[in-house]
Amino acid sequence: MSDLFGKMAEALIAGNIAGAQDLTKQAIDAGEEPQTILSDGLLPGMDVVGKRFKANDMFIPEVILSAKTMHAAMEILRPLLSEGDAKSAGTVIIGTVEGDLHDIGKNLVAMMLEGGGFDVVDLGTNVTPQQFVDGVKAHKPQLIGMSALLTTTMPKMELTIKALQEAGLRDQVKVMAGGAPVTQQFVDKIGGDAYGANAAAVVDIAKELTA
Amino acid sequence: MVIVGELINASRKAMGAAIEAQDKEAIQKIAKDQFEAGADYIDVNAGIFVGQEPEYLKWLVEIVQEVVDAPCCIDSPDPKAIETALAVHKGTAMLNSISLEKERYEALLPILSGTDLKVVALCMSDDGMPETADQRLAIADKLVNGLIKSNVKVENIYVDPLVQPVSTNVTFGVEFMKAIEGIMANFKGIHTMCGLSNISFGLPNRPFLNQTFMSMSISKGLDGAIINPLDKKMMANIIAAEAIAGKDNFCMNYLTAHREERFVF
């Protein structure tokens, strides 16, 4: 069976959608537990994608194709995963801060987190501090990811953290922040928990924060 | 081709530090280098200095124009910073940029109205970033007509259709170029302008993609660019593309560039 799982990982890395779906079906037919298919076949494949992306050995178009492949395999697998055994790595709420409409980086980060086994709630762009607060109340995430691509909207990150404090929710979530003008220094200053320089870094950061 | 030299931008790390340290000489050298390399406008941006942007921007305009006989491209969304910088600016500045985002539009329109200022009009609205040529053209239409109604001359408008990375959606390059073509056709006398390095985000060998994208966009009518004019290959590429696109009478610029050894890297 490890051969089948190895092939599954290879199909994910290569972005072979039909192949990954076919292998997932084969594994199901062979009687493998859905949770095992996920944790021993699909997730190790995405792990390799993440590592190679980080090492500049795979690039965004290839990573997007791998994520689509993962998604296609999960369409087959998800109905078979019962609530109890679909072990998520954690829930992340993600959004671009108020006044900022840039979504490309935020979408890449969401995609990487999903590939890394996290449940992602994407609040979209132009997300107000209150919407982040409401999102935390509704979804009880372990993590929040904020994106800002403008120096003029970066201060909203600080306001969002303040709003979480005022709502008494700051201790319940770890806050990650990123985007072109954002720096480690800035995240330290506003009281965030982690800074991500690029989408490739986010899965490791999220895993560390939820460990 | 109108070239805006992009290097005096505080969000570039070394430049941010130079501005903060008030390193006049270093900044003036970069202004001069860009001008000598062919920049028509020198972009000045102090966006990272929240609260101090107006005074830094004003200082940048002053020290740049001390050594360079060229207008500045004032790169800020903040009306107070813009007006402070304009007060000391000599000649006709360019503003970078107005957009259809309500707050930005309403803040910048009064500054532009009835003046001869040049303006970059960015195809972005409160509905988000446009992805298709049609979405870009719809925003451009509202923006340009709004500016013209407020007594901004069409020839002073440089529409930036917004470059997005082809790595995340393979249609982004072609949709941008269709937008350039549409804007140039729809508004006689208008210009187009873009910062183009976004096209290659997430891909290796970015300079090569940037140069090819520039050539292809010039063939669709792009006649302005916010770039690093010290990039000799990019500048040579623009000169060659303009000759091929029929924008260089008797290939004079091309031949001048040849004699000045601009094709020697």
PDB file of all heavy atoms in Angstrom, chain B residues 110-127:
ATOM      1  N   PRO B 110      -9.949  67.292  -6.125  1.00  0.00           N
ATOM      2  CA  PRO B 110      -9.853  68.748  -5.956  1.00  0.00           C
ATOM      3  C   PRO B 110      -8.443  69.291  -6.227  1.00  0.00           C
ATOM      4  O   PRO B 110      -8.292  70.417  -6.675  1.00  0.00           O
ATOM      5  CB  PRO B 110     -10.227  68.969  -4.484  1.00  0.00           C
ATOM      6  CG  PRO B 110     -10.908  67.724  -4.048  1.00  0.00           C
ATOM      7  CD  PRO B 110     -10.387  66.627  -4.892  1.00  0.00           C
ATOM      8  N   ILE B 111      -7.428  68.476  -5.953  1.00  0.00           N
ATOM      9  CA  ILE B 111      -6.051  68.923  -6.183  1.00  0.00           C
ATOM     10  C   ILE B 111      -5.780  69.032  -7.685  1.00  0.00           C
ATOM     11  O   ILE B 111      -5.060  69.907  -8.146  1.00  0.00           O
ATOM     12  CB  ILE B 111      -5.048  67.947  -5.527  1.00  0.00           C
ATOM     13  CG1 ILE B 111      -5.288  67.880  -4.017  1.00  0.00           C
ATOM     14  CG2 ILE B 111      -3.607  68.345  -5.829  1.00  0.00           C
ATOM     15  CD1 ILE B 111      -4.406  66.889  -3.295  1.00  0.00           C
ATOM     16  N   LEU B 112      -6.378  68.125  -8.453  1.00  0.00           N
ATOM     17  CA  LEU B 112      -6.098  68.050  -9.887  1.00  0.00           C
ATOM     18  C   LEU B 112      -6.949  69.011 -10.707  1.00  0.00           C
ATOM     19  O   LEU B 112      -6.511  69.519 -11.742  1.00  0.00           O
ATOM     20  CB  LEU B 112      -6.396  66.620 -10.377  1.00  0.00           C
ATOM     21  CG  LEU B 112      -5.405  65.556  -9.968  1.00  0.00           C
ATOM     22  CD1 LEU B 112      -6.049  64.175 -10.080  1.00  0.00           C
ATOM     23  CD2 LEU B 112      -4.177  65.644 -10.852  1.00  0.00           C
ATOM     24  N   SER B 113      -8.163  69.224 -10.209  1.00  0.00           N
ATOM     25  CA  SER B 113      -9.174  69.936 -10.976  1.00  0.00           C
ATOM     26  C   SER B 113      -8.673  71.281 -11.504  1.00  0.00           C
ATOM     27  O   SER B 113      -8.185  72.109 -10.738  1.00  0.00           O
ATOM     28  CB  SER B 113     -10.400  70.144 -10.085  1.00  0.00           C
ATOM     29  OG  SER B 113     -11.389  70.809 -10.823  1.00  0.00           O
ATOM     30  N   GLY B 114      -8.797  71.473 -12.827  1.00  0.00           N
ATOM     31  CA  GLY B 114      -8.450  72.750 -13.440  1.00  0.00           C
ATOM     32  C   GLY B 114      -6.959  73.041 -13.522  1.00  0.00           C
ATOM     33  O   GLY B 114      -6.560  74.123 -13.927  1.00  0.00           O
ATOM     34  N   THR B 115      -6.109  72.084 -13.135  1.00  0.00           N
ATOM     35  CA  THR B 115      -4.659  72.316 -13.190  1.00  0.00           C
ATOM     36  C   THR B 115      -4.078  71.643 -14.428  1.00  0.00           C
ATOM     37  O   THR B 115      -4.784  70.946 -15.158  1.00  0.00           O
ATOM     38  CB  THR B 115      -3.936  71.712 -11.976  1.00  0.00           C
ATOM     39  OG1 THR B 115      -3.973  70.282 -12.097  1.00  0.00           O
ATOM     40  CG2 THR B 115      -4.589  72.138 -10.673  1.00  0.00           C
ATOM     41  N   ASP B 116      -2.786  71.838 -14.631  1.00  0.00           N
ATOM     42  CA  ASP B 116      -2.110  71.182 -15.747  1.00  0.00           C
ATOM     43  C   ASP B 116      -1.275  69.992 -15.249  1.00  0.00           C
ATOM     44  O   ASP B 116      -0.424  69.468 -15.965  1.00  0.00           O
ATOM     45  CB  ASP B 116      -1.234  72.199 -16.490  1.00  0.00           C
ATOM     46  CG  ASP B 116      -1.071  71.798 -17.958  1.00  0.00           C
ATOM     47  OD1 ASP B 116      -2.000  71.152 -18.497  1.00  0.00           O
ATOM     48  OD2 ASP B 116      -0.019  72.108 -18.541  1.00  0.00           O
ATOM     49  N   LEU B 117      -1.519  69.592 -13.995  1.00  0.00           N
ATOM     50  CA  LEU B 117      -0.777  68.455 -13.438  1.00  0.00           C
ATOM     51  C   LEU B 117      -1.031  67.200 -14.257  1.00  0.00           C
ATOM     52  O   LEU B 117      -2.123  66.998 -14.787  1.00  0.00           O
ATOM     53  CB  LEU B 117      -1.229  68.188 -11.989  1.00  0.00           C
ATOM     54  CG  LEU B 117      -0.871  69.239 -10.948  1.00  0.00           C
ATOM     55  CD1 LEU B 117      -1.663  68.992  -9.668  1.00  0.00           C
ATOM     56  CD2 LEU B 117       0.634  69.211 -10.676  1.00  0.00           C
ATOM     57  N   LYS B 118      -0.007  66.365 -14.359  1.00  0.00           N
ATOM     58  CA  LYS B 118      -0.186  65.045 -14.969  1.00  0.00           C
ATOM     59  C   LYS B 118      -0.675  64.105 -13.860  1.00  0.00           C
ATOM     60  O   LYS B 118      -0.348  64.316 -12.684  1.00  0.00           O
ATOM     61  CB  LYS B 118       1.141  64.503 -15.510  1.00  0.00           C
ATOM     62  CG  LYS B 118       1.970  65.517 -16.277  1.00  0.00           C
ATOM     63  CD  LYS B 118       1.509  65.635 -17.690  1.00  0.00           C
ATOM     64  CE  LYS B 118       2.321  66.708 -18.423  1.00  0.00           C
ATOM     65  NZ  LYS B 118       1.753  67.027 -19.723  1.00  0.00           N
ATOM     66  N   VAL B 119      -1.416  63.087 -14.247  1.00  0.00           N
ATOM     67  CA  VAL B 119      -1.889  62.172 -13.207  1.00  0.00           C
ATOM     68  C   VAL B 119      -1.914  60.729 -13.698  1.00  0.00           C
ATOM     69  O   VAL B 119      -2.304  60.449 -14.837  1.00  0.00           O
ATOM     70  CB  VAL B 119      -3.272  62.596 -12.669  1.00  0.00           C
ATOM     71  CG1 VAL B 119      -4.342  62.537 -13.755  1.00  0.00           C
ATOM     72  CG2 VAL B 119      -3.685  61.735 -11.479  1.00  0.00           C
ATOM     73  N   VAL B 120      -1.466  59.835 -12.833  1.00  0.00           N
ATOM     74  CA  VAL B 120      -1.614  58.404 -13.093  1.00  0.00           C
ATOM     75  C   VAL B 120      -2.989  58.002 -12.558  1.00  0.00           C
ATOM     76  O   VAL B 120      -3.314  58.288 -11.406  1.00  0.00           O
ATOM     77  CB  VAL B 120      -0.520  57.581 -12.386  1.00  0.00           C
ATOM     78  CG1 VAL B 120      -0.708  56.089 -12.663  1.00  0.00           C
ATOM     79  CG2 VAL B 120       0.870  58.039 -12.832  1.00  0.00           C
ATOM     80  N   ALA B 121      -3.800  57.381 -13.422  1.00  0.00           N
ATOM     81  CA  ALA B 121      -5.154  56.970 -13.028  1.00  0.00           C
ATOM     82  C   ALA B 121      -5.181  55.446 -12.974  1.00  0.00           C
ATOM     83  O   ALA B 121      -5.169  54.768 -13.993  1.00  0.00           O
ATOM     84  CB  ALA B 121      -6.170  57.503 -14.029  1.00  0.00           C
ATOM     85  N   LEU B 122      -5.183  54.946 -11.749  1.00  0.00           N
ATOM     86  CA  LEU B 122      -5.063  53.497 -11.533  1.00  0.00           C
ATOM     87  C   LEU B 122      -6.436  52.817 -11.612  1.00  0.00           C
ATOM     88  O   LEU B 122      -7.383  53.242 -10.941  1.00  0.00           O
ATOM     89  CB  LEU B 122      -4.430  53.261 -10.160  1.00  0.00           C
ATOM     90  CG  LEU B 122      -4.177  51.822  -9.742  1.00  0.00           C
ATOM     91  CD1 LEU B 122      -3.151  51.151 -10.654  1.00  0.00           C
ATOM     92  CD2 LEU B 122      -3.692  51.771  -8.292  1.00  0.00           C
ATOM     93  N   CYS B 123      -6.504  51.762 -12.416  1.00  0.00           N
ATOM     94  CA  CYS B 123      -7.780  51.057 -12.613  1.00  0.00           C
ATOM     95  C   CYS B 123      -8.096  50.173 -11.413  1.00  0.00           C
ATOM     96  O   CYS B 123      -7.944  48.946 -11.450  1.00  0.00           O
ATOM     97  CB  CYS B 123      -7.756  50.210 -13.874  1.00  0.00           C
ATOM     98  SG  CYS B 123      -7.816  51.196 -15.355  1.00  0.00           S
ATOM     99  N   MET B 124      -8.517  50.824 -10.334  1.00  0.00           N
ATOM    100  CA  MET B 124      -8.908  50.086  -9.153  1.00  0.00           C
ATOM    101  C   MET B 124     -10.128  50.795  -8.568  1.00  0.00           C
ATOM    102  O   MET B 124     -10.189  52.022  -8.588  1.00  0.00           O
ATOM    103  CB  MET B 124      -7.748  50.089  -8.159  1.00  0.00           C
ATOM    104  CG  MET B 124      -7.851  49.006  -7.138  1.00  0.00           C
ATOM    105  SD  MET B 124      -6.209  48.473  -6.672  1.00  0.00           S
ATOM    106  CE  MET B 124      -6.493  48.226  -4.944  1.00  0.00           C
ATOM    107  N   SER B 125     -11.088  50.012  -8.082  1.00  0.00           N
ATOM    108  CA  SER B 125     -12.290  50.611  -7.510  1.00  0.00           C
ATOM    109  C   SER B 125     -12.592  49.931  -6.182  1.00  0.00           C
ATOM    110  O   SER B 125     -11.896  48.999  -5.787  1.00  0.00           O
ATOM    111  CB  SER B 125     -13.479  50.427  -8.452  1.00  0.00           C
ATOM    112  OG  SER B 125     -13.917  49.081  -8.406  1.00  0.00           O
ATOM    113  N   ASP B 126     -13.623  50.386  -5.512  1.00  0.00           N
ATOM    114  CA  ASP B 126     -13.987  49.769  -4.235  1.00  0.00           C
ATOM    115  C   ASP B 126     -14.520  48.352  -4.415  1.00  0.00           C
ATOM    116  O   ASP B 126     -14.715  47.627  -3.444  1.00  0.00           O
ATOM    117  CB  ASP B 126     -15.019  50.634  -3.501  1.00  0.00           C
ATOM    118  CG  ASP B 126     -14.392  51.929  -2.993  1.00  0.00           C
ATOM    119  OD1 ASP B 126     -13.240  51.874  -2.529  1.00  0.00           O
ATOM    120  OD2 ASP B 126     -15.031  52.986  -3.074  1.00  0.00           O
ATOM    121  N   ASP B 127     -14.773  47.964  -5.669  1.00  0.00           N
ATOM    122  CA  ASP B 127     -15.241  46.593  -5.925  1.00  0.00           C
ATOM    123  C   ASP B 127     -14.086  45.598  -5.990  1.00  0.00           C
ATOM    124  O   ASP B 127     -14.312  44.414  -6.252  1.00  0.00           O
ATOM    125  CB  ASP B 127     -16.021  46.530  -7.248  1.00  0.00           C
ATOM    126  CG  ASP B 127     -17.240  47.425  -7.221  1.00  0.00           C
ATOM    127  OD1 ASP B 127     -17.791  47.627  -6.121  1.00  0.00           O
ATOM    128  OD2 ASP B 127     -17.638  47.930  -8.291  1.00  0.00           O
TER     129      ASP B 127
END
